[in-house]
Amino acid sequence: MPENMLGNIFVHSFIFAAFMSDSLYNNEVAFELQPKKIDEARQGETLTLERPQHVISNGKKFYIESYGCQMNFSDSEVVASILAGAGFDSTSDFYEADLILINTCAIRDNAEQRIRHRLQHLNAVKKKKKASLVGVLGCMAERLKDKFLEEEKIVDIVCGPDAYRALPSMVEEAETGQKAVNVLLSREETYAEINPVRLNSNGVSAFISIMRGCDNMCAFCVVPFTRGRERSRNWKSIVNEAKELYERGYREVTLLGQNVNSYRFSEDEKLVGKKLVDAKYDESVVNFAKLLELVAQVAPDLRIRYSTSHPKDMTDDVLHVMAKYPNICKYIHLPVQSGSSRVLDAMNRTYDRSWYLNRIAAIRNILPDAAISTDIIAGFCSETEEEHQETLSLMDEVKYEMAYMFFYSERPGTVAAKKFKDDIPEDVKKRRLQEIVDMQMKHSLIRNQQDVGKTYEVLAEGVSHRSSEHLFGRNTQNKVVIFPKGNIQIGTYVQVKVTECTAATLKGEVVS
Ligand code: SAM
Ligand code: SF4
């Protein structure tokens, strides 16, 4: 593997892909089999939409491309909606654009390097078309603030994740030749009433952002600094969005947030900030278990998924609601990060190995058929060989269906960067990561083999990229299943009997 290999590797029961520099999968199947969290095939995706008819065009076009996690893609939909409301039209050709926006990710160094390469490329566009403004949005904008303007001369606008409503006025400011920066983080902003556009979707599954920010302060993570304090969106606007999507033919929604299980909303004005966190049992408070139930009641054939859960907040009441509603998918992403209690403590994850395994036991007990996936970081500061072995032994005990695996990348400003030395040599980090990946591959295959012979309800999501005679969809466990197309319509449910598998995919035949 080249020296500059990116640190991110994930293995799905259906995918195995190592990402190198900017190249995407060379495995054709991987495209359709993407798990939905950090969708590598969507990196750099552009978004176009029609301006609402009642809004008069301002004669300008914007182009937006997105990087990073699903939250960023969801945010780009909000940005597109705000700009369309201000009279902008959109384009998928940046040579045509008056405003070029890049929604950025800062989670690991390689994510930032990718954006910097992209900006170099856009420099050429700007030379050709001097009037174009270039704006950076999202986490990297928030992390670098006006330093971005010094480091990347091409940039005219720097806009943090809580300032998107100000974008139209920032564009006006930049048009006068000033550089425009707004990186104020908010304690309230949830963009609750902004109806995101969904034009690049498959018309079957959509994401609904239910909260923003994160209060957890994991030592390695930049998110609390780039996305600010945790705040939950009004549950009524979430339920309405789910209803609207259902009426438009969508059959699956994924509730999104950095830590959805700590969702908490109350309309009682007395319960703001910390008081809301403490008011666990106040009747006016809608917690995540209640929210899940409210969204599940929108329609029995609307599937509900959610991501991501922090183990400390994965309570039994959430598991019981999942068990009660067949339309809440039996799939849980529960990032462990490390199998060593000492490393978990250094990471400030606020749980230890036995607490985590207790949560896994609760899932197995309440939801025996649930699939479980995780995130793992190899080579965190001071991790010993024995502690790395503890991660492997935890994996062996849980046998995850899927994992997103990374080697540790120090992020400036984080607790770990301030307190600890990034002292595991890169070759050791990569070797440990490879051992983790190899083990996950084994487990993904075992888990898939257990599915052969079983029949699953699958939501048909699209045509297989390998064969136009086949469709693909996912079962409740989030496993992608390939099956013959026949007369099946995309967006409908089918019963598929699994007949064969690899570590990367399930294949089957339609039985009804
Ligand atoms: N809020 C989510 C959670 O706690 O599961 C995670 C969000 S983060 C975007 C996704 C994953 O990136 C984390 O779970 C962690 O495994 C990984 N990650 C975050 N910071 C990292 C770093 N500095 N180096 C390597 N991986 C990192
Ligand atoms: Fe980062 Fe931890 Fe918050 Fe996840 S829970 S976003 S890893 S600080």
Side-chain angles (χ1 to χ4, degrees):
M1 286 179 181
E3 251 333 277
N4 69 342
M5 178 192 145
L6 292 180
N8 316 344
I9 297 189
F10 59 53
V11 170
H12 198 274
S13 346
F14 332 109
I15 304 190
F16 173 61
F19 307 138
M20 297 189 192
S21 66
D22 268 349
S23 67
L24 299 181
Y25 299 112
N26 51 11
N27 173 354
E28 201 193 340
V29 185
F31 183 75
E32 68 195 14
L33 304 183
Q34 280 287 338
K36 298 281 182 176
K37 193 181 167 206
I38 303 168
D39 196 337
E40 194 63 15
R42 292 192 71 189
Q43 300 302 298
E45 186 178 284
T46 60
L47 186 77
T48 54
L49 79 165
E50 275 169 32
R51 183 172 30 83
Q53 277 180 344
H54 65 275
V55 177
I56 300 166
S57 168
N58 64 10
K60 291 175 215 157
K61 286 188 177 166
F62 74 93
Y63 166 93
I64 185 165
E65 111 185 355
S66 314
Y67 294 84
C69 67
Q70 198 50 56
M71 284 294 285
N72 255 11
F73 286 82
S74 192
D75 274 5
S76 289
E77 296 180 340
V78 168
V79 168
S81 186
I82 289 170
L83 289 175
F88 283 83
D89 286 303
S90 67
T91 173
S92 57
D93 175 2
F94 50 56
Y95 281 104
E96 258 185 37
D98 305 284
L99 173 65
I100 298 173
L101 297 172
I102 311 287
N103 199 349
T104 62
C105 172
I107 196 80
R108 283 167 290 275
D109 184 56
N110 58 53
E112 291 202 358
Q113 293 315 321
R114 177 182 275 191
I115 306 288
R116 293 205 187 256
H117 282 136
R118 193 64 184 143
L119 286 172
Q120 276 170 18
H121 183 74
L122 290 175
N123 232 336
V125 182
K126 219 176 161 178
K127 276 187 188 137
K128 269 199 176 167
K129 194 169 179 244
K130 290 211 164 44
S132 300
L133 294 173
V134 173
V136 284
L137 317 175
C139 290
M140 201 177 162
E142 189 64 48
R143 192 180 84 71
L144 290 169
K145 305 187 171 51
D146 42 10
K147 233 170 103 190
F148 220 132
L149 300 173
E150 288 160 33
E151 290 177 5
E152 303 286 349
K153 300 285 178 241
I154 177 187
V155 173
D156 304 290
I157 296 168
V158 178
C159 182
D162 287 347
Y164 296 147
R165 287 180 205 266
L167 254 179
S169 59
M170 292 174 80
V171 173
E172 279 174 24
E173 189 182 336
E175 279 168 347
T176 67
Q178 314 256 7
K179 301 273 181 180
V181 181
N182 188 338
V183 286
L184 286 178
L185 287 173
S186 155
R187 283 191 167 234
E188 287 92 35
E189 181 62 272
T190 59
Y191 301 110
E193 80 301 346
I194 290 179
N195 220 350
V197 290
R198 311 199 187 258
L199 280 181
N200 290 6
S201 99
N202 59 2
V204 179
S205 45
F207 293 89
I208 301 182
S209 178
I210 64 164
M211 61 196 298
R212 300 182 72 80
C214 182
D215 282 351
N216 282 334
M217 297 302 279
C218 299
F220 50 80
C221 185
V222 78
V223 169
F225 304 96
T226 59
R227 294 208 154 243
R229 301 303 299 265
E230 199 168 275
R231 64 222 102 114
S232 298
R233 177 178 165 189
N234 188 329
W235 65 268
K236 288 180 187 157
S237 75
I238 297 170
V239 170
N240 283 342
E241 196 171 325
K243 277 186 187 153
E244 259 175 50
L245 286 163
Y246 181 75
E247 279 154 18
R248 282 164 52 197
Y250 285 82
R251 289 296 172 263
E252 181 182 277
V253 292
T254 302
L255 308 180
L256 279 185
Q258 291 300 347
N259 182 15
V260 288
N261 298 57
S262 66
Y263 175 90
R264 194 158 292 153
F265 186 86
S266 170
E267 276 173 322
D268 185 339
E269 282 174 10
K270 292 195 296 299
L271 295 178
V272 285
K274 176 144 174 23
K275 287 194 200 122
L276 177 57
V277 176
D278 294 339
K280 285 194 180 130
Y281 305 106
D282 190 294
E283 279 204 351
S284 73
V285 175
V286 173
N287 63 12
F288 185 60
K290 183 73 192 147
L291 177 74
L292 256 187
E293 186 150 31
L294 288 163
V295 181
Q297 286 165 351
V298 165
D301 59 340
L302 178 68
R303 274 184 168 181
I304 323 297
R305 298 186 187 277
Y306 61 88
S307 183
T308 296
S309 305
H310 191 295
K312 78 173 166 56
D313 298 314
M314 180 44 91
T315 53
D316 285 1
D317 60 343
V318 169
L319 301 175
H320 286 301
V321 171
M322 288 179 74
K324 183 172 161 194
Y325 290 90
N327 58 332
I328 304 179
C329 291
K330 306 300 178 273
Y331 165 65
I332 295 177
H333 184 66
L334 203 64
V336 65
Q337 315 297 357
S338 167
S340 150
S341 293
R342 193 206 59 90
V343 175
L344 287 170
D345 185 45
M347 287 175 163
N348 194 29
R349 288 291 286 181
T350 69
Y351 56 85
D352 61 11
R353 180 186 174 104
S354 68
W355 165 274
Y356 183 88
L357 288 173
N358 167 288
R359 291 296 77 211
I360 296 288
I363 296 170
R364 302 270 188 243
N365 181 28
I366 299 169
L367 298 164
D369 294 328
I372 306 175
S373 62
T374 200
D375 290 352
I376 297 174
I377 298 178
F380 183 66
C381 315
S382 76
E383 182 190 68
T384 64
E385 231 21 74
E386 291 71 34
E387 288 164 342
H388 164 61
Q389 289 301 325
E390 286 186 72
T391 296
L392 294 174
S393 78
L394 182 133
M395 291 176 75
D396 209 32
E397 206 166 326
V398 180
K399 292 202 173 50
Y400 295 104
E401 260 81 4
M402 186 273 266
Y404 297 83
M405 294 156 280
F406 315 97
F407 63 70
Y408 174 60
S409 161
E410 186 177 83
R411 306 311 294 130
T414 55
V415 177
K418 286 184 193 150
K419 258 175 73 178
F420 307 127
K421 213 167 152 227
D422 181 12
D423 55 356
I424 308 299
E426 194 153 308
D427 59 336
V428 176
K429 284 184 185 171
K430 285 178 181 168
R431 193 253 306 144
R432 288 182 189 170
L433 177 62
Q434 192 57 53
E435 287 171 11
I436 290 169
V437 168
D438 291 345
M439 177 161 285
Q440 185 53 47
M441 277 297 280
K442 234 173 53 191
H443 293 163
S444 294
L445 181 60
I446 293 170
R447 288 294 186 197
N448 275 0
Q449 283 166 340
Q450 289 169 347
D451 291 337
V452 174
K454 292 185 187 160
T455 298
Y456 289 106
E457 184 176 71
V458 174
L459 176 60
E461 288 182 41
V463 177
S464 162
H465 294 271
R466 277 231 164 143
S467 146
S468 57
E469 290 309 305
H470 287 78
L471 296 182
F472 76 93
R474 279 173 297 147
N475 65 7
T476 183
Q477 283 98 351
N478 207 30
K479 294 192 178 188
V480 175
V481 187
I482 311 280
F483 51 94
K485 190 164 140 195
N487 295 322
I488 293 155
Q489 298 293 312
I490 289 168
T492 58
Y493 291 99
V494 271
Q495 298 292 324
V496 180
K497 182 171 181 186
V498 178
T499 51
E500 54 181 301
C501 76
T502 63
T505 189
L506 299 180
K507 268 190 158 184
E509 56 197 33
V510 177
V511 292
S512 67

